[in-house]
Amino acid sequence: MSDTTVVVSQNPTSNTIVNIDPQTGETEIIVVAESQPDISVVISNDQGPQGIQGVTGPTGPANVLSIGTVTGGATAAATITGTTPTQTLSLVLPTGATGATGPTGATGSTGATGATGSTGSTGPTGATGAASTVAGPTGPTGATGATGPTGATGASSTVAGPTGPTGPTGATGSTGATGATGLTGPTGATGATGSTGATGSTGPTGATGSTGATGATGSTGSTGATGSTGPTGPSGVIAVVSPIVNSGSTTSANLSFAESDDQSILPNQVFG
């Protein structure tokens, strides 16, 4: 607020000056006259006190934004439909240009050998080749053939023949069957119960497990809406008391003294 000066005049040679300090609100009245009637002035600042702050509004509900449709198009666009606290976001995404082919990756390590496959069926016998002109190697000796049946006994010789070679040892005969198990003997008497062993000492207590990590702090709730502004205080006014007459307004006063025989206000008297 700028400085305010109010001039109170009774005649061209008698003035009363009222100064208001805009920083402190202090009022100073200077009277320059030989004699003036009694005066009482009530002055207040142009601006009234600030109104009471409005009550803080309740916290609004948290908004939930879900994804709707995502489609391709020539121009990117986003549309939010619905009303709070439940709304839907739909997107239009343009197709980007095909990127350049990336470099060939390094050759991976050789994988483990797979399991052996099953043996395939035997193929058909090939045609017999031409006879070789070179003798092949001698094959291994074949197994001894079975002994032929014994021939009929000839007539007894009168001359003893030479003793023949000893024949090969015959194969060992198979093991005979196991004989039957003998009868089970009678059960012996139960032995006496042994004495109870001493109780072992208690094992040491296991170490205490480490404390689990602290869970994450929940997110801060949204700030409530700002309360409405309080009503504006009343404008300051300049009020005067008889015998002063205000020929101006309540914010720009022009005060004049009424005629009086009271000589209680002396020249150059200051009112604060």
Side-chain angles (χ1 to χ4, degrees), residues 206-212:
T208 303
S210 58
T211 304

Side-chain angles (χ1 to χ4, degrees), residues 1 19-28 43-46 272:
M1 183 180 69
N19 291 326
I20 301 175
D21 189 333
Q23 302 297 324
T24 62
E26 296 181 354
T27 302
E28 182 181 45
I43 301 177
S44 60
N45 294 331
D46 291 340

